[in-house]
Amino acid sequence: MSERVIPLADHRYAAALPRVPAAAVPPTGLLGDRLGRPLRDLRISVTDRCNFRCSYCMPKEVFDKAYTFLPQSSLLSFEEITRTARLFVAHGVQKLRLTGGEPLLRKHLEVLIGMLSELRTPDGQPLDLTLTTNGSVLAKKAQALKDAGLQRVTVSLDALDDAIFRRMNDVDFPVAEVLEGIAEAQRVGLGPIKVNMVVKRGTNDDQIVAMARHFKGTPVVLRFIEYMDVGATNGWRMDEVLPSADVVARIHAQFPLEAIEANVTGETAERWRYRDGSGEIGVISSVTQAFCHDCNRARLSTEGKLFLCLFATNGHDLRALLRGGYTDEQIAGAIGLIWQGREDRYSELRGAAGAEVGLGDGQRRVEMHYIGG
Ligand code: SF4
């Protein structure tokens, strides 16, 4: 007996359900936003929880014991995430990055990775399936992630000095365990491994050369990220930003560097290699050298909201479509229309405004632990 389809107008969600306009944009793989940027990279936040309290992302005084995280029921299920990812791939996405909060805190994540690893681009190519982690449980999970189909990992590591690292994660977590996680990920073949260091002037900038020295001569690509005014809780100030130009200069003084081309269009990191051939580093300069002009990244929040920029204030509720009886065509059409209308370029505008405390438009920017980096 075939199921009776409930007409949308009669559905109890009817009032809340977004209307999928007739002019939806079906997937062609050639989708471009208002600035002509294609959709190539989808970042999927699988949890808003984290076991660290890094001050530039989840300051402890805000995300304290009383903070209410999202209930399990509001999180997208693995089936919903995979369905959504498949629709983005039809629109041209070639890279999926799992983020959080801390993605390895989501139970049975290997199952989701297995489901996503089966997706193929319209011309049958496997996707670039990667994950960003704070490395706290990586040593234990690396093999299972690899076996499930994960290709590579990016590990956040803000200092080598144990005391500075413990202060920055603000939960007294030892640096040695993260280094073990990186070594284990290397051993099981989750490479090329990238290590991301957020540089905050006066907090950990004295670790720059030590980090470079530690990873120089290894396959690990170390990237230095300028401290950003993400969200609305980290108290960002421009005078705590150390421009990437200074980072490069400090390393170059010890280990001569030369600039190299980007791997792909839309790559966030500017690449430098050691002149002696012993590896490369990258700098991600959202504050002093905005790269919005070829930003091809979309972000899916833990509860299924589509964000078009890391500094966005609002998202588009895809979960309501996923749970509202809409077809794949209708949801893909809505995604196409949303992207087509995109004109976000926050970092460029912040730069142009010479903002010292972020762009104060009175609107609350989305928190990074909710949509991932
Ligand atoms: S600020 Fe927004 S538009 Fe610019 S690069 Fe970052 S995510 Fe992309």
Side-chain angles (χ1 to χ4, degrees):
M1 184 184 76
S2 64
E3 279 113 359
R4 186 177 77 82
V5 175
I6 304 168
L8 283 180
D10 307 344
H11 199 287
R12 71 172 183 280
Y13 280 168
L17 286 175
R19 291 278 164 270
V20 175
V25 179
T28 60
L30 304 169
L31 185 63
D33 70 8
R34 287 231 175 115
L35 306 181
R37 299 167 294 187
L39 175 49
R40 288 287 177 269
D41 182 341
L42 178 64
R43 300 183 172 197
I44 304 171
S45 171
V46 295
T47 179
D48 62 339
R49 297 166 192 255
C50 185
N51 52 348
F52 283 9
R53 288 292 179 273
C54 306
S55 60
Y56 55 79
C57 176
M58 283 180 92
K60 200 185 254 181
E61 53 282 2
V62 177
F63 300 94
D64 56 14
K65 291 205 170 30
Y67 186 84
T68 311
F69 288 96
L70 293 168
Q72 186 67 26
S73 59
S74 73
L75 306 191
L76 290 189
S77 67
F78 292 168
E79 290 71 20
E80 289 170 328
I81 292 174
T82 306
R83 182 183 178 200
T84 309
R86 190 165 28 80
L87 300 176
F88 274 87
V89 170
H91 273 300
V93 161
Q94 298 164 353
K95 178 174 167 183
L96 298 177
R97 177 177 295 282
L98 299 179
T99 66
E102 170 47 41
L104 298 184
L105 297 184
R106 177 92 184 240
K107 288 202 180 70
H108 314 301
L109 190 68
E110 297 81 9
V111 175
L112 173 62
I113 290 171
M115 294 161 78
L116 295 174
S117 69
E118 283 164 15
L119 296 179
R120 292 287 178 272
T121 62
D123 60 359
Q125 299 306 309
L127 300 172
D128 178 8
L129 182 55
T130 182
L131 175 146
T132 301
T133 172
N134 64 20
S136 56
V137 292
L138 185 56
K140 282 196 288 275
K141 298 215 171 201
Q143 188 66 65
L145 296 170
K146 176 69 181 174
D147 297 345
L150 189 70
Q151 284 150 18
R152 54 195 181 86
V153 288
T154 296
V155 182
S156 307
L157 179 65
D158 297 327
L160 269 184
D161 177 279
D162 193 48
I164 296 175
F165 182 68
R166 286 172 187 261
R167 243 192 339 271
M168 289 198 75
N169 64 51
D170 211 6
V171 292
D172 211 29
F173 194 90
V175 72
E177 290 191 35
V178 176
L179 293 172
E180 264 171 48
I182 294 170
E184 179 62 6
Q186 192 71 47
R187 191 189 67 74
V188 305
L190 281 172
I193 294 174
K194 294 179 177 169
V195 167
N196 283 354
M197 173 183 176
V198 172
V199 179
K200 202 173 170 184
R201 190 200 290 269
T203 300
N204 65 338
D205 60 299
D206 62 349
Q207 290 286 292
I208 291 168
V209 174
M211 288 277 282
R213 184 178 289 113
H214 180 85
F215 290 107
K216 188 173 181 293
T218 77
V220 170
V221 176
L222 175 59
R223 289 115 57 92
F224 300 90
I225 303 179
E226 286 181 344
Y227 171 42
M228 295 180 283
D229 52 333
V230 283
T233 58
N234 68 5
W236 184 84
R237 295 197 329 266
M238 187 62 191
D239 61 10
E240 291 184 305
V241 174
L242 185 76
S244 292
D246 294 30
V247 172
V248 170
R250 289 188 190 188
I251 298 171
H252 185 67
Q254 298 274 334
F255 312 113
L257 293 165
E258 56 196 4
I260 47 178
E261 295 296 325
N263 287 311
V264 289
T265 306
E267 184 168 18
T268 54
E270 187 188 276
R271 299 172 64 210
W272 294 80
R273 73 177 169 213
Y274 295 111
R275 278 212 196 124
D276 65 5
S278 59
E280 73 173 78
I281 64 158
V283 288
I284 299 175
S285 323
S286 160
V287 179
T288 61
Q289 294 158 41
F291 38 81
C292 305
H293 57 277
D294 57 13
C295 175
N296 53 21
R297 290 171 289 284
R299 291 171 170 85
L300 186 66
S301 78
T302 319
E303 56 184 351
K305 287 212 175 98
L306 170 58
F307 288 84
L308 303 176
C309 174
L310 178 59
F311 301 90
T313 50
N314 295 304
H316 303 263
D317 188 354
L318 298 186
R319 187 186 63 191
L321 302 181
L322 293 165
R323 296 181 182 177
Y326 288 89
T327 65
D328 282 357
E329 289 68 38
Q330 288 178 313
I331 302 174
I335 292 168
L337 200 63
I338 293 166
W339 184 263
Q340 212 174 47
R342 176 190 188 233
E343 50 193 356
D344 298 66
R345 54 193 187 93
Y346 176 88
S347 289
E348 265 177 22
L349 297 172
R350 182 216 301 116
E356 290 296 316
V357 288
L359 270 189
D361 55 10
Q363 295 229 36
R364 200 182 165 88
R365 288 185 294 279
V366 66
E367 294 296 338
M368 188 140 87
H369 78 100
Y370 175 75
I371 57 166

